[in-house]
Amino acid sequence: SRMTMNRKQALLDAAIKLFATNGFDATSTASIAQYAGVTEPLIHYHFKSKDGLFTHILETIFAEYFDRFDALPEKTPTEFDKLVNLIRFHFRFAEDFPDETFIVISACPSKLQEAAHVCAQYVKTQGERVSGYVAGCLVRGIASGEFRPVPVPATTGMLLASVNGLMRRKSLHLDEIDGLLGAVLDFCRHALCKEPDKAKG
């Protein structure tokens, strides 16, 4: 029923807010129920346990992440445009889901067996997929002469670390730096793209 769905959503919203604010360990099912304005047994009814609730949040946020990742355009004028799309997507995601992003970043290597397992799986998949995307862009861009001949695995690793670090900053609200996204994109452009006037020699 709609009422049940609304209460379930209220529980999820409360849990996300409290996990992000106080951390997993310091958040009790009683405090989540109180914040959501429902009774504690409802948590056990929908999610079995705090661990189950946490796992559900992880699954939901990663499903949203991969949906958006899959929606990035296949066809772009240049390979650099693909990298720009990827970096913008991560910035945007951390803006749209700051609490969830923070939970994944802060609590993911969790002490919980089930959640730790789910988290490790997702983080591994995310790393592999983003690496594959970046490496593909670099290989194609180098082959076409769009990019300088940079070392692909090392450059991929550096770009991945940058994206993860930027999401972390965003979710921690550290980056009230004006023009951060533009600076990152300019930096990547200068590092990777051959300058047309110099290329002609």
Side-chain angles (χ1 to χ4, degrees):
S1 75
R2 252 195 78 158
M3 182 65 193
T4 315
M5 272 320 296
N6 289 348
R7 294 202 330 218
K8 187 176 177 181
Q9 193 54 51
L11 269 176
L12 284 169
D13 293 342
I16 288 165
K17 184 51 73 195
L18 293 173
F19 287 150
T21 309
N22 306 326
F24 180 87
D25 293 328
T27 303
S28 64
T29 48
S31 66
I32 294 169
Q34 189 184 0
Y35 193 96
V38 301
T39 60
E40 206 177 340
L42 201 67
I43 294 178
H44 301 286
Y45 171 75
H46 283 300
F47 304 104
K48 307 275 186 286
S49 63
K50 185 167 83 158
D51 197 352
L53 179 56
F54 189 75
T55 302
H56 182 86
I57 290 168
L58 291 180
E59 285 170 346
T60 307
I61 197 61
F62 274 106
E64 177 69 27
Y65 173 90
F66 288 123
D67 278 352
R68 291 185 178 203
F69 181 79
D70 290 336
L72 290 172
E74 297 275 324
K75 295 232 182 306
T76 56
T78 65
E79 292 304 320
F80 187 71
D81 288 313
K82 277 200 175 59
L83 292 175
V84 169
N85 290 341
L86 183 77
I87 294 168
R88 282 187 189 282
F89 149 63
H90 283 92
F91 255 77
R92 190 60 202 275
F93 193 86
E95 263 170 16
D96 289 348
F97 301 99
D99 288 338
E100 292 90 334
T101 301
F102 178 68
I103 288 168
V104 169
I105 286 167
S106 63
C108 234
S110 159
K111 298 172 206 54
L112 303 161
Q113 262 339 95
E114 186 190 351
H117 174 67
V118 169
C119 224
Q121 263 184 332
Y122 279 127
V123 169
K124 184 169 182 281
T125 305
Q126 185 236 355
E128 284 167 359
R129 296 198 56 194
V130 177
S131 290
Y133 180 103
V134 171
C137 292
L138 294 175
V139 167
R140 289 186 302 270
I142 292 164
S144 71
E146 180 191 344
F147 293 154
R148 304 170 204 274
V150 294
V152 172
T155 307
T156 300
M158 189 193 70
L159 284 169
L160 225 64
S162 308
V163 163
N164 288 333
L166 292 164
M167 283 188 91
R168 179 180 292 257
R169 287 189 70 86
K170 199 125 203 75
S171 73
L172 293 170
H173 308 297
L174 291 174
D175 72 331
E176 307 316 315
I177 302 172
D178 282 339
L180 184 61
L181 176 60
V184 171
L185 297 177
D186 281 346
F187 187 87
C188 292
R189 182 181 289 109
H190 292 306
L192 295 172
C193 297
K194 290 184 175 174
E195 293 173 49
D197 47 303
K198 292 206 177 130
K200 292 192 189 79

